[in-house]
Amino acid sequence: MIGIFDSGVGGLASYNEARRLLPSEDIIYLADSKNAPYGTKDKETIIKLVKSNIKMLKERGSKKILIACCTASSIYSSLSREEQKIAVPIIIPAVYEALSSGSRITTVSTSYTASSHAFKEAAAALCKSAEVTEIAAQILVELVECGARDGGLLPRESAILDGICAKIRDTSPDSLILGCTHFSHLEGEFALRLPTVKIVNAALIGARVLVSSITDSAHESGKTIYI
Ligand code: DGL
């Protein structure tokens, strides 16, 4: 059994990828909608929520847990050794992937993630010449939770995304990290507006890292449980 959690629907992109790669694995998906959004909360509150999610998924039998949320992954270093052993964060793998396209990286994320500089710090640790610009776009979390999806944006939603993409374009990045898993539901919209920029989807990359971290190949029943 593997556990996956997010504040809401963002981590479903990770879930879909994990399910595709592990068709017969049992997966439990926790959407902590009671405490959403995470991106407007302070560090101490986010740490508490992440610890409680890990505990719940562990108690339900998860052998590995994907933190399918960049905001929650930002506080990974504040987790205990034991929690770090079972939980897989998604920021470093996304930065690693972005660096393969060049050193100019822009991230679009929640307010908390942008102000924590988690992406900037991860990039600095991997590549001295990395230049990272972090843009907060918390409003997109609300839009996605309310149903905004690729190919079906309302005019108001489209105008908001146009404004955010204009800011991203001004930074002339080699790659854009969708540094909030909710934004994977808008990957096609970002790609349409930024055709020359490589889009790195942290939710998908995280799921692939989770899958490769699993060595136990005894997958039998393949149930999915949503909480
Ligand atoms: N999906 C989350 C992330 O990747 C958090 C969205 C929120 O609850 O603010 O950061």
Side-chain angles (χ1 to χ4, degrees):
M1 165 96 75
I2 58 175
I4 299 178
F5 77 86
D6 178 40
S7 64
V9 299
L12 287 175
S14 302
Y15 163 75
N16 287 333
E17 183 68 353
R19 171 53 77 220
R20 186 180 73 79
L21 296 170
L22 296 172
S24 51
E25 177 71 65
D26 287 344
I27 301 178
I28 181 164
Y29 184 84
L30 167 60
D32 187 15
S33 43
K34 182 178 153 206
N35 294 300
Y38 282 8
T40 54
K41 298 201 161 40
D42 61 33
K43 184 174 183 180
E44 293 320 308
T45 308
I46 296 168
I47 293 173
K48 251 207 246 157
L49 294 172
V50 173
K51 282 177 171 289
S52 139
N53 293 343
I54 291 174
K55 184 167 178 278
M56 185 194 293
L57 291 171
K58 213 172 138 187
E59 282 168 1
R60 291 191 181 227
S62 304
K63 63 187 169 198
K64 273 280 173 194
I65 296 167
L66 181 66
I67 307 179
C69 171
C70 295
T71 308
S73 294
S74 304
I75 61 83
Y76 182 76
S77 60
S78 302
L79 298 176
S80 70
R81 248 185 136 74
E82 204 190 322
E83 289 161 336
Q84 288 187 349
K85 232 168 124 189
I86 192 169
V88 177
I90 64 175
I91 288 185
I92 292 174
V95 170
Y96 197 78
E97 172 72 18
L99 285 169
S100 69
S101 296
S103 58
R104 290 184 66 83
I105 300 172
T106 296
T107 68
V108 63
S109 69
T110 64
S111 301
Y112 179 82
T113 305
S115 64
S116 75
H117 302 304
F119 279 103
K120 201 172 258 181
E121 285 168 14
L126 289 171
C127 171
K128 292 266 170 299
S129 60
E131 288 174 66
V132 179
T133 307
E134 297 163 302
I135 295 176
Q138 185 69 38
I139 188 162
L140 292 183
V141 174
E142 193 188 317
L143 298 186
V144 168
E145 280 294 333
C146 291
R149 293 291 183 276
D150 273 340
L153 296 190
L154 302 172
R156 174 181 164 264
E157 296 167 339
S158 193
I160 290 171
L161 196 60
D162 286 346
I164 292 165
C165 287
K167 281 194 204 161
I168 295 167
R169 209 173 293 115
D170 284 348
T171 65
S172 313
D174 297 314
S175 63
L176 170 70
I177 300 180
L178 302 182
C180 167
T181 54
H182 278 69
F183 305 167
S184 358
H185 296 293
L186 300 174
E187 181 173 356
E189 299 289 339
F190 277 102
L192 266 179
R193 289 165 176 78
L194 301 162
T196 60
V197 178
K198 175 180 166 151
I199 310 280
V200 176
N201 184 331
L204 294 189
I205 310 251
R208 290 173 199 150
V209 169
L210 170 84
V211 169
S212 59
S213 77
I214 292 172
T215 49
D216 175 8
S217 55
H219 312 303
E220 281 173 4
S221 48
K223 289 195 293 284
T224 298
I225 303 165
Y226 293 97
I227 308 177

Coordinates of all heavy atoms in Angstrom, one line a residue, residues 34 47 50 82 158:
K34 N -10.3 19.6 4.6 CA -10.8 20.3 5.9 C -9.8 21.4 6.2 O -10.2 22.4 6.7 CB -10.8 19.2 7.0 CG -11.2 19.7 8.3 CD -11.2 18.6 9.3 CE -11.0 19.2 10.7 NZ -10.4 18.2 11.6
I47 N 3.6 22.3 9.2 CA 4.4 21.1 9.8 C 3.4 20.2 10.5 O 3.4 19.0 10.3 CB 5.5 21.6 10.7 CG1 6.6 22.3 9.9 CG2 6.1 20.4 11.5 CD1 7.7 23.0 10.8
V50 N 1.2 18.2 8.0 CA 2.0 17.2 7.3 C 2.3 16.0 8.2 O 2.1 14.8 7.9 CB 3.3 17.8 6.7 CG1 4.2 16.7 6.2 CG2 3.0 18.8 5.7
E82 N 12.4 9.5 11.1 CA 11.5 8.4 10.8 C 10.4 8.8 9.8 O 10.1 8.1 8.8 CB 10.8 8.0 12.1 CG 10.2 6.6 12.1 CD 9.3 6.4 13.4 OE1 9.7 6.9 14.4 OE2 8.3 5.7 13.2
S158 N -9.1 32.6 -17.6 CA -8.2 32.7 -18.7 C -7.4 34.0 -18.5 O -6.2 34.1 -18.7 CB -8.9 32.7 -20.0 OG -8.0 32.5 -21.0

